[in-house]
Amino acid sequence: MEKFKRKVFYLGGFDPRGVRFYHQLYREQAVRYAALTGEAVTVSGRQAGDAGAAVSARWSVENATAGVEIDYEYLRWEDVIGKVWIRNPLALALKSARAYAGHARHMDFARMRRLRQGPVITILYPPILAVLIPLMLALVPALILALALPWWAAAIIGIALSALLSGRILAKLVVPWLLRFMTYHGALAAQGPGAALDGRIDAFAQRIAAALDGDWDEVQLVTHSAGTILGMRLLRRVIALRGGTLPDRFVMLGLGQVVPVIALRRDARWYHEDLKALADAPFRYVDISSPPDGAAYFDVNPFRLVAPAYAARVDMLSPRFHLFYEPHNYHGGWSNKYEAHFDYLRVGDRLSPLDFISLTAGRRTVDEAVEAFRTIA
């Protein structure tokens, strides 16, 4: 069997865990894929990318059964995230309050709501719950205890109970992570990426532009979550480095896309220019976003946010996770919101042509995978 050679660039979301976590996740999901298909898939250890360990990490994947060789390159920006990751709860409360004031001034919420209501709820519920849950956990016990104790003793006990329990409940509802996400992206919209992140995006673009000259049957740029935002700026620079055109074997994947978080900020003019430039560029883009994922924008074409027409060949798909998971494993409901946003990187209980390992380590091209997915009733 003639070897099929694929190059994968992965740009992840707003997550400080970085390459070690994602390499292990890929290995675990490759094992699940192999169990479902019977194909022999092996994943190597990590090593530094060609531009240095600060820019990327690489590992090789081999699907010996299907005759596929994959050079997987994880584009690193977790160090940038780590520098802005707010750990102190008080600092998070103050900074997120300022960030939400900025979103209230500049975000086009009316247009966002017309696109999808779910993400609007996801954006708005964290600050509401961050106030209500600690308040109720303190107030309700204090009022009950005040029937038998002095008011000051009841108040102290109520506050102590709130301090003990509210953090766990808020974390279960993904409130701290969403507050950090909205705080960072409020600053990103207003101020732009800054020198450090822009320099990293330049380095990513140079890696991808150089790889396009390699002997690959397919080159994928896979973006996930907040990586879908930066991926647009990155792709614009790749196209510029390639003289305005990309080879037919290149495809960009958007998983759990969140582009409107920045694109619908009226003050994010730098980002509007990126999207407008991409609207004029011919390339292949496949968006895979799940309607039940309240942190993603299903069926929202990012290029139509800023332009009436676009040159890219675009598919907007729902992964329909419910078809590929047993009910007890399906990540539905509010308590599973965070996990649902990572199902794009997992393999379900039944194989999907659009699961992450199928797309990156399977024999099908992305176009073939999309066609196979469309045949599923």
Side-chain angles (χ1 to χ4, degrees), residues 130-184:
V131 173
L132 287 182
I133 287 178
L135 182 62
M136 296 302 294
L137 286 174
L139 187 60
V140 172
L143 290 174
I144 295 173
L145 290 170
L147 298 175
L149 297 173
W151 69 266
W152 55 268
I156 290 173
I157 294 173
I159 292 170
L161 285 172
S162 178
L164 180 66
L165 299 175
S166 60
R168 298 176 188 177
I169 295 172
L170 291 171
K172 182 69 174 175
L173 296 172
V174 206
V175 168
W177 180 76
L178 286 169
L179 290 177
R180 293 182 182 105
F181 177 92
M182 293 305 296
T183 298
Y184 175 74

Side-chain angles (χ1 to χ4, degrees), residues 209 212 234-248 250 277-284 311-312:
L212 288 172
L234 168 58
L235 185 59
R236 180 186 181 185
R237 295 188 178 183
V238 172
I239 292 172
L241 289 172
R242 297 290 302 185
T245 59
L246 295 171
D248 291 340
F250 173 84
L278 287 181
D280 293 331
F283 61 93
R284 179 70 167 121

Side-chain angles (χ1 to χ4, degrees), residues 78-94:
E78 69 267 25
D79 58 318
V80 178
I81 298 167
K83 291 175 182 176
V84 297
W85 190 263
I86 307 167
R87 291 171 174 82
N88 183 286
L90 180 59
L92 178 59
L94 294 174

Side-chain angles (χ1 to χ4, degrees), residues 283-287 301-303 310-316 374:
F283 61 93
R284 179 70 167 121
Y285 177 71
V286 177
D287 186 288
N301 187 317
F303 314 112
Y310 55 92
R313 184 163 62 94
V314 176
D315 273 309
M316 313 294 296
R374 292 191 188 281

Side-chain angles (χ1 to χ4, degrees), residues 64-299:
T65 307
V68 184
E69 294 180 352
I70 304 96
D71 187 45
Y72 191 104
E73 191 157 350
Y74 178 95
L75 302 175
R76 304 188 67 171
W77 67 298
E78 69 267 25
D79 58 318
V80 178
I81 298 167
K83 291 175 182 176
V84 297
W85 190 263
I86 307 167
R87 291 171 174 82
N88 183 286
L90 180 59
L92 178 59
L94 294 174
K95 291 183 179 181
S96 61
R98 289 196 293 268
Y100 270 88
H103 288 305
R105 287 195 305 272
H106 300 292
M107 184 71 77
D108 190 345
F109 278 109
R111 189 178 177 199
M112 180 178 284
R113 185 175 179 273
R114 289 197 298 271
L115 296 176
R116 297 289 298 172
Q117 291 190 13
V120 178
I121 296 171
T122 300
I123 287 172
L124 294 180
Y125 86 77
I128 296 172
L129 293 187
V131 173
L132 287 182
I133 287 178
L135 182 62
M136 296 302 294
L137 286 174
L139 187 60
V140 172
L143 290 174
I144 295 173
L145 290 170
L147 298 175
L149 297 173
W151 69 266
W152 55 268
I156 290 173
I157 294 173
I159 292 170
L161 285 172
S162 178
L164 180 66
L165 299 175
S166 60
R168 298 176 188 177
I169 295 172
L170 291 171
K172 182 69 174 175
L173 296 172
V174 206
V175 168
W177 180 76
L178 286 169
L179 290 177
R180 293 182 182 105
F181 177 92
M182 293 305 296
T183 298
Y184 175 74
H185 287 88
L188 181 66
Q191 302 165 17
L197 183 55
D198 244 350
R200 193 66 56 85
I201 292 172
D202 279 335
F204 296 163
Q206 290 165 12
R207 283 291 309 123
I208 296 171
L212 288 172
D213 288 323
D215 182 24
W216 308 108
D217 295 293
E218 185 175 63
V219 179
Q220 299 178 2
L221 170 57
V222 182
T223 61
H224 174 231
S225 188
T228 63
I229 295 173
L230 297 182
M232 299 300 170
R233 188 167 184 83
L234 168 58
L235 185 59
R236 180 186 181 185
R237 295 188 178 183
V238 172
I239 292 172
L241 289 172
R242 297 290 302 185
T245 59
L246 295 171
D248 291 340
R249 64 180 179 274
F250 173 84
V251 58
M252 182 179 186
L253 291 164
L255 310 179
Q257 184 243 122
V258 293
V259 168
V261 170
I262 299 292
L264 294 185
R265 282 274 298 230
R266 299 183 186 91
D267 56 340
R269 288 177 287 274
W270 63 273
Y271 195 65
H272 301 159
E273 291 303 314
D274 286 341
L275 289 178
K276 288 175 184 176
L278 287 181
D280 293 331
F283 61 93
R284 179 70 167 121
Y285 177 71
V286 177
D287 186 288
I288 303 172
S289 298
S290 176
D293 178 9
Y297 286 84
F298 165 69
D299 201 28

